[in-house]
Amino acid sequence: MQNTITPELRDAAHRWIAEDPDPSTREELQSVLDRALAGDATAADEVADRMAGPLEFGTAGLRGPVRAGPNGMNVAVVTRTTAGVAQWLTGKGLAGGVVVVGRDARHGSEAFAQAAAEVLTAAGFAVKTMPLPLPTPLLAYSVKHYGAIAGIQITASHNPPADNGYKLYDSTGGQIVPPSDGEIEHAIQAAPAAVDVPRAPGAEVVDPRAAYLADVANLPQSPERELRIAATALHGVGAATLETALTQAGFTDVHFVAEQSRPDADFPTVSFPNPEEPGATDLLLALASEVDADLAVALDPDADRCALGVRGRDGEWRMLRGDETGVLLGSHLLSTTDNPDPLVATTIVSSSLLGELAKAAGARYAETLTGFKWLVRAGEGLIFAYEEALGLCVNPGFVRDKDGIAASVFAAGFAAALKAEGRTPLDVLDDIATRHGVHLTDQVSLRVTDLAVRGKLMAGLRAEPPVTLGGTPVTQEDLLPDADVLRLRGDGLRVVIRPSGTEPKLKAYLQVVTPVTGDLAAARETATARLSAVREDISTLLS
């Protein structure tokens, strides 16, 4: 705890204030500093935290709380970051190229997008900006659509309301990968003070929605369109685009959660704007029951993730797990693709069931490290990629990233075709389990306030790995130096442990596989009991 302000910390804060081009954040940090200098211990701690930066620029770009100081998202940080990006692009021989800048509707997004666009314009790039807050997949789409050398999206995806972020795409239309992140980090460190970075207006306003929506509407679909859909945008930017996409694809019986359909940076009806979080989709499932829907769809706030909900056989609605949705859409794509040599991909922490489906279909299969930056680079002929955290890409031909809008439209087509046959997605999951075994997945997450705790836990596991999990002998595989990941394997058992790249969490991803030799329900009971035992052991390890 920083109970008092040291002269060094005081001087660093004063330098930041003098170099900040934004009067609002200058005043904000000065106010906190004044309270700290007057003896307010809480304010002293806050100054120390705000000055503990800078935010690290990684392959996920930047992400942090919107506040003054180097350890936050603000105009000064975005200005210096973009100056570094501009220098990096110039060093790659891409000076003067097209760069597209988009944004979501979070606190600060408009000012941050304007700062990024003006820094790039002043640096000589041909900058194109979006006319309003739009889903992240539209930015990814725009990079290829406009022949850009890079794209920047101001977004914190499904992070808490206090956060914002800065996501960078390269000329492939995918997010950057190493060593680009390290090169950009060095360029940012060498950038001048934010107040000295030139800025200039003049970016061209473009709107890619019509072209994008036409491509989504042309995704392979069965002719059936009789489907009632309940949907939510979780106070994000996806509702209007999703509604138009569904309408153009022929789905007109769509009901949105009214309280969550307009962008609201405070996310008032959810404690955490992530469809994976308990309670986040309660209003959606209530609406689905009320209107007697056939399918429920939840987007995250920047609409790159998509979660599906279905009515169970007991009549109660539930959200599908990310692995269930990935397997459903992947199996459907494998059965309908006209690609003679298709590739499907998922990550090392997702269910391995997609690999079994690919093998049965005579298709290629790849597993990558976590993150869509790796999935879209899985190989030629990619037709589908997913990660268990609700990331789905059914359209890698024109969006090289996860795309909740396109996935929702594709899922609607699949559900409509099943409805016409008198079947549901749960029937398909039963068929898959009967053929390939019950694959159950779960996750154990440890949220930390001190990121060093994650490293200590990982070091402890490396030094003394468990020899059994849930009563099954396991062996450990360490993925260092390629990734800070531990993988534990046993007979019909896999656990992957890693620090989260976007949240202050240590995560363990669990999978058990039980063959179905007779009754499917009995196999599920066996698998559920085994998964529970593994979860208990992992929870103890991480505690």
Side-chain angles (χ1 to χ4, degrees), residues 342-355:
L343 170 69
V344 295
T346 190
T347 69
I348 59 172
V349 303
S350 302
S351 171
S352 61
L353 182 52
L354 183 64

Side-chain angles (χ1 to χ4, degrees), residues 105-442:
R106 283 178 174 264
H107 292 299
S109 285
E110 184 173 6
F112 301 160
Q114 180 180 350
E118 291 184 355
V119 169
L120 290 163
T121 300
F125 292 90
V127 182
K128 299 181 185 294
T129 60
M130 303 295 183
L132 72 167
L134 289 173
T136 293
L138 277 159
L139 187 281
Y141 174 84
S142 294
V143 174
K144 294 185 71 177
H145 182 66
Y146 294 113
I149 58 169
I152 295 168
Q153 177 79 348
I154 303 297
T155 180
S157 189
H158 56 279
N159 270 40
D163 289 357
N164 212 326
Y166 183 111
K167 187 178 291 188
L168 181 64
Y169 294 78
D170 63 21
S171 60
T172 69
Q175 296 176 51
I176 60 165
V177 294
S180 296
D181 56 338
E183 295 167 352
I184 294 168
E185 179 71 19
H186 287 304
I188 295 169
Q189 292 169 1
V195 73
D196 296 325
V197 174
R199 290 175 54 171
E204 177 189 3
V205 178
V206 296
D207 193 339
R209 284 177 291 181
Y212 167 82
L213 289 166
D215 283 342
V216 170
N218 287 328
L219 286 171
Q221 293 283 333
S222 61
E224 289 79 11
R225 289 294 179 270
E226 185 182 337
L227 195 76
R228 179 167 297 164
I229 302 168
T232 182
L234 287 185
H235 300 293
V237 298
T241 304
L242 176 59
E243 184 172 24
T244 304
L246 288 167
T247 298
Q248 289 189 196
F251 299 100
T252 56
D253 192 358
V254 183
H255 304 258
F256 278 87
V257 176
E259 303 96 313
Q260 300 175 334
S261 290
R262 292 183 178 274
D264 189 329
D266 293 321
F267 304 101
T269 68
V270 290
S271 58
F272 204 101
N274 179 354
E276 287 184 297
E277 292 291 326
T281 57
D282 285 357
L283 289 176
L284 171 67
L285 297 183
L287 176 65
S289 179
E290 177 187 335
V291 302
D292 194 24
D294 301 301
L295 183 71
V297 175
L299 301 177
D300 74 337
D302 70 331
D304 62 351
R305 286 173 171 83
C306 163
L308 300 181
V310 297
R311 190 191 298 274
R313 295 189 174 91
D314 59 0
E316 296 297 316
W317 279 84
R318 75 170 179 93
M319 300 304 295
L320 296 176
R321 298 185 64 86
D323 281 318
E324 291 176 308
T325 301
V327 165
L328 279 170
L329 299 192
S331 67
H332 186 52
L333 262 169
L334 283 167
S335 68
T336 57
T337 183
D338 58 4
N339 187 311
D341 186 25
L343 170 69
V344 295
T346 190
T347 69
I348 59 172
V349 303
S350 302
S351 171
S352 61
L353 182 52
L354 183 64
E356 298 301 316
L357 295 173
K359 186 189 303 181
R364 290 176 294 130
Y365 169 72
E367 284 186 6
T368 73
L369 296 176
T370 55
F372 257 84
K373 58 184 175 286
W374 300 116
L375 281 172
V376 297
R377 292 173 168 86
E380 293 297 319
L382 183 68
I383 64 165
F384 175 72
Y386 94 92
E387 57 184 358
E388 54 76 41
L390 306 179
L392 297 153
C393 181
V394 300
N395 52 329
F398 59 91
V399 172
R400 287 176 56 80
D401 198 4
K402 51 189 174 292
D403 184 346
I405 303 291
S408 299
V409 174
F410 188 80
F414 181 36
L418 289 174
K419 182 181 179 181
E421 299 172 1
R423 286 161 51 81
T424 73
L426 296 182
D427 293 323
V428 178
L429 287 174
D430 284 352
D431 293 345
I432 291 172
T434 299
R435 290 196 303 269
H436 301 288
V438 174
H439 289 62
L440 292 188
T441 58
D442 202 356

Side-chain angles (χ1 to χ4, degrees), residues 20 24 32 51 91 110 327 358 379 435 444 452:
D20 186 351
S24 65
V32 180
M51 299 305 298
E110 184 173 6
V327 165
R435 290 196 303 269
V444 176

